[in-house]
């Protein structure tokens, strides 16, 4: 391995919380293995590089880029396109780049509504002149610019061509190391467009809770409304758990912590829409035949869109709320 | 009075000779009322009824009144119906596949219904139906093979060398024919394609997309949607 | 040219599709706006199909199945009902009017009812105007 040229690795963030970058840092002592095999050529959160350093790189210079975060503004888009051009293998890293993630929930509102709330209406805002962010502003020293805030949050693959997806909010560091080591050792890579670092089988396969076929729900509970016995399948207790339609790979972390799965790893390769399959399955479990009775039970699913598409609204079929 | 069925007329004549009288009450008016007779009535009970043919209210003295109790289905028929995968009607009697064309078979292959589980009936009718069912079964056996549905569901296997079914068991109660069972060793659901009738409900209820419905797969239906809609758009474009 | 809505209809093989067939063989006239997709049972209709129809440009989606209690497969239509009610809640959250998605029971003998249903739905949807899902998606990407 010593004779092999070192891999050039880049990590970049779009509309993200920073958790994905932290998950990269979480390699802890494995970091020595990583730096032994790779040079980090660009990672704004940890290392001082400028955009122009990337711009000056020849095309395909970077071997692997982990792009985390969704595409929310013109800067995200510019960097996504730039990194695509400079990178051999572009990985959508984490739920936001993969399916839109939590920032993707902004697709329930519009740019105007978000600006109004954030810069005018919010309780902590004092903005009597109602000034909203401008993309260009003249000062004595010259022109200041800000990226353009888009109306829609997009997934990475809605902007550029993506080679692999590494899902999770954030992805489990162990999975990252596995994938990274596979690349370093030259193991055969899966076909382009594959999801790596997660299995196609859903969470239930690894979940240790007791499961039966008795999934008939008379009432839905939110997790705080019941005393979870810590043993029985959440769905059988009437708590919505996204486990059955979510890839495993995280080690069933949420359920092991007695919280139902929320679906950050996304659905299996057989699902065309991230939330629709689970919506269909949950509805199937409702134990009622009369429309009134069914509706009464459904009333307890307060926010179906937010529940079934928590991490995946921009990557879903409808992508955003339709406003006229 | 006209009696129902072969030999019943003779039965009626015999009964009449034995001084059994048949009266019909008017169902639209009040039902017969049975009261305890007075001490000097020389009988125990009195029945007051609207006799339909004469239109008069008559009183009949009686020593004993036997009420005919309606036939009710057994209380656990729902469990039986679910276990073997057949339907019940509003009165909880089993429903045949077709009242005229297939009166002893059910919607589940290999399950036949005979006698009062289907509807109240007498002994000759039950026997006749039992013989019909036996003949129907023999006909199936004599053929030597059974034709199964082609539009069955199956649990998808071997995608990326890994079965996709995660063993959540959502599908098992969904199947009206109990065709899906859980393989505890492999931790996956298995569709018995001989029992499957191909309704596709399990395919829609499967949260992972592991269950596929032959001839009605997601891919096929979505292609249909795309095809239909692109045609529509094309037609719109041509018109405008 | 007046606006003509496109309605994607999922009809169950045993009742509704046969009902639609009856409307045809009885030579009943009804709006030609409907695009029929046959499924074995209304229980096969997945939310994905409905969402996909809207995404592809459908102005409305109609799901028809056997009357409650009459399902050829015992209770597929009840499962369809449950999915429909939840889906209805979801599409309204996504800004799609509830009139654009309908679930109706049509038996094999109800050709006339089917024809009337299609006419009535076409009229309702025409009043709503085109569904903008496809257009919005085109402007995003």
């Amino acid at each position: 391995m010593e004779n092999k040229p070192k891999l050039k690795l880049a990590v970049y963030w779009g509309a993200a919380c920073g958790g994905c970058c932290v998950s990269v840092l979480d390699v802890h002592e494995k970091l020595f293995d990583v730096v032994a095999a790779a040079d980090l050529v660009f990672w704004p959160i940890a290392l001082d590089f400028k955009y122009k350093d990337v711009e000056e790189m020849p095309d395909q210079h970077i071997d692997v880029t982990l792009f985390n975060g969704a595409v929310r503004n013109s800067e995200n888009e510019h960097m996504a396109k730039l990194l695509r051009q400079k990178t051999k293998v572009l990985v959508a890293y984490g739920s936001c780049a993969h399916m839109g993630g939590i920032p993707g929930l902004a697709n329930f509102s519009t740019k105007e509504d978000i600006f109004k709330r954030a810069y005018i209406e919010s309780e902590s805002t004092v903005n009597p002149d109602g000034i909203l962010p401008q993309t260009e502003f003249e000062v004595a020293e010259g022109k200041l610019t800000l990226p353009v805030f888009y109306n829609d949050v997009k997934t990475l693959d809605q902007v550029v061509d993506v080679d692999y997806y590494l899902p999770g909010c954030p992805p489990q560091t162990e999975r990252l190391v596995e994938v990274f080591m596979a690349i370093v050792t030259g193991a055969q890579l899966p076909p382009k467009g594959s999801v790596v670092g997660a299995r196609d089988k859903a969470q239930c396969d690894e979940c240790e809770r007791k499961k039966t076929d008795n999934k008939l729900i008379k009432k839905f509970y939110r997790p705080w409304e019941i005393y979870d016995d810590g043993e029985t399948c959440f769905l059988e207790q009437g708590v919505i758990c996204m486990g059955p339609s979510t890839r495993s790979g995280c080690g069933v972390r949420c359920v092991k912590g007695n919280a139902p799965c929320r679906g950050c790893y996304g659905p299996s390769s057989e699902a065309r829409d991230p939330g629709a399959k689970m919506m269909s399955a949950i509805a199937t479990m409702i134990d009622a035949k009369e429309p009134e009775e069914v509706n009464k039970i459904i009333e307890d699913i307060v926010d179906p869109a937010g529940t079934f598409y928590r991490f995946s609204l921009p990557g879903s079929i409808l992508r955003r709320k339709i406003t006229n | 009075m006209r009696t129902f069925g072969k030999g019943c007329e003779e039965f009626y004549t015999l009964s009449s000779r034995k001084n059994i009288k048949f009266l019909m009450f008017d169902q639209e008016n009040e039902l017969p009322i049975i009261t305890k007779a007075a001490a000097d009535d020389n009988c125990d009970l009195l029945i007051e009824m609207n006799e339909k043919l004469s239109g008069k209210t008559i009183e009949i003295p009686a020593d004993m009144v036997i009420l005919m109790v309606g036939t009710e289905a057994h209380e656990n028929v729902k469990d039986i119906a679910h276990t073997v995968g057949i339907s019940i009607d509003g009165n909880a009697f089993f429903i045949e596949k077709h009242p005229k064309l297939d009166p002893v078979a059910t919607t589940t292959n290999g399950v036949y219904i005979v006698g009062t589980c289907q509807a109240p009936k007498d002994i000759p009718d039950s026997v006749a139906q039992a013989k019909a069912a036996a003949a129907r079964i023999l006909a199936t056996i004599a053929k030597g093979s059974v034709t199964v549905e082609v539009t069955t569901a199956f649990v998808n296997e071997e995608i990326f060398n890994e079965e996709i079914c995660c063993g959540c068991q959502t599908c098992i109660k969904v199947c009206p024919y109990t065709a899906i069972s859980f393989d505890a060793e492999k931790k996956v659901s298995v569709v018995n394609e001989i029992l499957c009738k191909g309704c596709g409900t399990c395919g829609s209820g499967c949260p992972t997309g592991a269950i596929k419905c032959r001839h009605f797969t997601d891919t096929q239906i979505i292609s249909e949607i795309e095809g239909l809609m692109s045609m529509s758009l094309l037609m719109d474009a041509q018109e405008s | 040219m007046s606006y003509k809505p496109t309605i994607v209809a999922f009809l169950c093989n045993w009742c509704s599709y046969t009902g639609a067939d009856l409307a045809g063989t009885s030579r009943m006239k009804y709006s030609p706006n409907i695009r029929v997709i046959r499924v074995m049972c209304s229980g096969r209709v997945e939310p994905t199909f409905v969402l996909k129809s809207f995404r592809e440009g459908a102005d409305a989606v109609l799901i028809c199945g056997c009357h409650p209690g009459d399902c050829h497969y015992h209770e597929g239509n009840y499962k369809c009902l449950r999915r429909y009610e939840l889906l209805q809640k979801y599409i309204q959250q996504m800004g799609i009017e509830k009139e654009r998605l309908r679930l109706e029971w049509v038996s094999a003998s109800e050709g006339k009812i089917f024809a009337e249903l299609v006419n009535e739905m076409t009229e309702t949807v025409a009043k709503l105007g085109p569904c903008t899902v496809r257009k919005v998606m085109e402007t995003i990407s």
Side-chain angles (χ1 to χ4, degrees):
Chain A
M1 212 160 92
E2 288 88 53
N3 300 330
K4 256 175 132 181
K6 278 172 113 183
L7 281 179
K8 291 181 197 70
L9 182 67
V11 184
Y12 188 69
W13 55 354
C17 64
C20 283
C21 284
V22 175
S23 83
V24 179
L25 287 173
D26 277 348
V27 293
H28 298 308
E29 70 283 356
K30 286 260 168 55
L31 185 68
F32 296 114
D33 297 343
V34 173
V35 292
D39 279 330
L40 276 154
V41 295
F42 183 55
W43 190 6
I45 199 174
L47 303 160
D48 187 18
F49 287 103
K50 303 294 181 219
Y51 290 168
K52 76 171 179 1
D53 299 328
V54 183
E55 277 156 16
E56 280 164 8
M57 290 174 188
D59 287 0
Q60 307 262 303
H61 177 72
I62 307 166
D63 291 297
V64 179
T65 294
L66 303 178
F67 191 105
N68 66 77
V71 177
R72 153 43 94 214
N73 61 31
S74 57
E75 188 220 14
N76 301 152
E77 183 172 357
H78 169 73
M79 284 310 290
K81 285 181 173 161
L82 182 65
L83 285 165
R84 174 69 275 183
Q85 195 189 334
K86 306 291 178 191
T87 306
K88 290 194 188 92
V89 177
L90 179 65
V91 180
Y93 186 78
S95 302
C96 299
H98 178 209
M99 306 179 294
I102 296 289
L105 292 174
N107 280 2
F108 281 123
S109 39
T110 58
K111 175 184 172 178
E112 285 72 34
D113 289 343
I114 293 169
F115 274 19
K116 212 161 106 192
R117 176 71 198 151
Y119 297 107
I120 296 172
E121 289 175 350
S122 78
E123 291 72 8
S124 58
T125 301
V126 181
N127 183 6
D129 300 330
I131 295 166
L132 296 179
Q134 303 297 307
T135 50
E136 287 181 3
F137 192 70
E138 296 285 348
V139 288
E141 293 80 5
K143 194 165 33 171
L144 291 177
T145 57
L146 271 180
V148 181
F149 187 91
Y150 293 154
N151 192 47
D152 309 287
V153 176
K154 292 176 192 172
T155 66
L156 183 61
D157 68 357
Q158 285 165 359
V159 177
V160 292
D161 199 27
V162 170
D163 295 301
Y164 296 111
Y165 303 86
L166 213 162
C169 185
Q172 286 304 298
T173 308
E174 298 90 314
R175 298 292 95 71
L176 168 64
V177 174
E178 282 164 22
V179 171
F180 180 77
M181 284 306 167
I183 295 172
V184 170
T185 53
Q188 201 186 347
L189 296 175
K192 193 184 158 187
S194 299
V195 171
V196 292
R199 297 167 66 208
D200 226 2
K201 252 190 204 289
Q203 300 277 337
C204 303
D205 187 51
E206 293 179 5
C207 176
E208 283 160 10
R209 290 202 169 213
K210 274 186 224 133
K211 290 177 287 286
T212 64
D213 59 8
N214 188 29
K215 289 184 172 57
L216 298 171
I217 300 174
K218 279 260 181 235
K219 180 172 166 53
F220 287 105
Y221 297 95
R222 308 189 83 175
W224 52 269
E225 287 177 314
I226 57 154
Y227 287 106
D228 168 33
D229 62 13
E231 286 177 353
T232 316
C233 169
F234 272 115
L235 286 163
E236 284 163 41
Q237 298 186 62
V239 177
I240 295 177
C241 173
M242 291 287 284
S245 73
T246 304
R247 286 171 185 275
S248 53
C250 61
V252 212
R253 285 210 161 186
C254 289
V255 181
K256 276 185 185 155
N258 292 331
C261 170
R262 307 192 302 169
C264 70
Y265 264 65
S268 82
S269 56
E270 288 299 298
R272 277 164 182 77
D273 183 83
K277 282 270 181 206
M278 196 60 206
M279 200 161 25
S280 190
I282 283 281
T284 309
M285 293 172 200
I286 293 169
D287 191 13
K289 284 186 173 174
E290 295 305 316
E292 299 76 35
E293 216 183 324
V294 172
N295 270 322
K296 205 174 161 286
I297 297 173
I298 287 175
E299 251 173 47
D300 291 326
I301 306 176
V302 185
D303 174 15
T307 307
F308 300 115
Y309 295 89
R310 193 189 305 260
F311 293 94
S312 58
L313 189 64
S316 70
I317 289 179
L318 292 183
R319 282 177 64 166
R320 70 169 287 96
K321 184 178 175 174
I322 307 303
T323 46
N324 292 317
Chain B
M1 177 120 176
R2 277 283 165 269
T3 54
F4 166 86
K6 191 181 175 184
C8 293
E9 193 61 36
E10 288 81 353
F11 192 48
Y12 172 65
T13 318
L14 187 72
S15 308
S16 302
R17 286 207 187 110
K18 291 196 171 168
N19 221 7
I20 296 172
K21 289 193 175 63
F22 295 88
L23 299 169
M24 191 168 26
F25 63 86
D26 195 350
Q27 284 185 329
E28 281 169 25
N29 290 318
E30 277 177 19
L31 296 174
I33 300 163
I34 303 164
T35 48
K36 189 139 181 75
D40 55 345
D41 268 340
N42 203 20
C43 65
D44 285 338
L45 301 159
L46 279 178
I47 305 159
E48 191 189 306
M49 69 171 285
N50 270 312
E51 209 278 317
K52 195 171 183 180
L53 295 177
S54 63
K56 284 179 183 160
T57 304
I58 57 168
E59 215 169 57
I60 308 161
D63 291 321
M64 188 192 275
V65 176
I66 301 165
L67 294 173
M68 172 84 169
V69 180
T71 307
E72 276 187 343
H74 205 272
E75 58 188 8
N76 68 349
V77 281
K78 272 192 181 163
D79 300 334
I80 297 172
H82 184 79
T83 312
V84 297
I86 61 176
S87 315
I88 50 176
D89 65 15
N91 295 319
F93 288 104
F94 296 135
I95 301 175
E96 63 286 336
K97 197 170 182 183
H98 190 285
K100 291 196 177 76
L101 302 176
D102 215 347
V104 294
T106 63
T107 44
T108 300
N109 285 347
V111 177
Y112 301 87
I113 47 174
V114 158
T116 52
C117 67
Q118 183 193 27
K121 56 176 68 108
D122 60 9
I123 297 167
D125 276 0
S126 298
V127 172
Q129 205 183 8
K131 284 179 175 170
R136 183 85 168 63
I137 293 164
L138 276 176
T140 312
I141 295 172
K143 231 198 283 174
S145 63
V146 183
T147 315
V148 294
E149 294 279 346
V150 284
T151 53
T152 52
F154 64 102
V155 178
N156 202 17
E157 291 182 9
E158 301 296 319
I159 291 180
F160 300 125
N161 300 318
E162 197 176 28
E163 288 166 344
I164 244 181
C165 173
C166 67
C168 70
Q169 304 178 47
T170 307
C171 51
I172 292 171
K173 280 268 162 74
V174 170
C175 181
Y177 303 101
T178 58
I180 309 178
S181 55
F182 185 64
D183 182 338
E185 206 169 297
K186 287 168 90 181
K187 293 208 286 175
V188 292
S189 285
V190 184
V191 180
N192 182 336
E193 290 188 42
I194 292 164
L195 293 177
C196 174
K197 295 273 183 179
C199 65
T201 311
C202 57
S204 307
C206 175
T208 58
I211 299 183
K212 296 270 180 296
C213 307
R214 282 200 179 85
H215 307 287
F216 290 90
T217 62
D218 288 12
T219 315
Q220 285 170 321
I221 293 177
I222 282 172
S223 304
E224 269 187 76
I225 297 168
E226 286 169 350
L228 283 174
M229 290 317 298
S230 61
M231 271 306 291
S232 291
L233 292 168
L234 202 68
M235 277 154 63
D236 285 355
Q238 278 172 350
E239 274 184 29
S240 56
Chain C
M1 178 76 47
S2 67
Y3 158 66
K4 286 182 192 153
T6 306
I7 303 169
V8 172
F10 296 94
L11 307 184
C12 94
N13 184 57
W14 304 97
C15 291
S16 317
Y17 194 79
T18 322
D21 232 12
L22 182 66
T25 49
S26 321
R27 303 189 174 215
M28 284 172 200
K29 261 194 183 170
Y30 61 90
S31 313
N33 307 59
I34 197 157
R35 308 281 177 271
V36 174
I37 292 176
R38 182 178 70 102
V39 286
M40 290 311 280
C41 176
S42 53
R44 177 71 191 99
V45 181
E46 272 186 49
T48 314
F49 305 156
V50 175
L51 301 177
K52 186 73 184 166
S53 305
F54 283 123
R55 172 74 178 259
E56 292 297 316
D59 296 306
V61 177
L62 172 67
I63 307 167
C64 290
C66 310
H67 284 270
D70 283 349
C71 178
H72 182 81
Y73 301 105
H74 306 307
E75 43 189 36
N77 50 359
Y78 290 117
K79 274 138 200 159
C80 182
L81 170 77
R82 299 170 202 166
R83 290 174 193 140
Y84 162 81
E85 298 288 2
L86 184 56
L87 187 59
Q88 198 44 280
K89 202 168 168 179
Y90 169 66
I91 65 157
Q92 286 175 43
Q93 270 190 299
M94 297 306 285
I96 299 172
E97 297 91 338
K98 67 170 189 284
E99 292 81 5
R100 294 194 191 273
L101 174 62
R102 270 177 80 168
L103 172 67
E104 295 289 340
W105 311 128
V106 174
S107 84
S109 59
E110 294 175 334
K112 190 158 176 272
I113 291 179
F114 179 77
E116 283 164 2
L117 171 68
V118 174
N119 283 337
E120 187 238 321
M121 191 166 174
T122 308
E123 210 175 294
T124 317
V125 179
K127 270 186 211 145
L128 284 176
C131 180
T132 52
V133 175
R134 190 187 166 106
K135 235 171 82 192
V136 168
M137 295 308 144
E138 276 167 2
T139 51
I140 296 178
S141 43

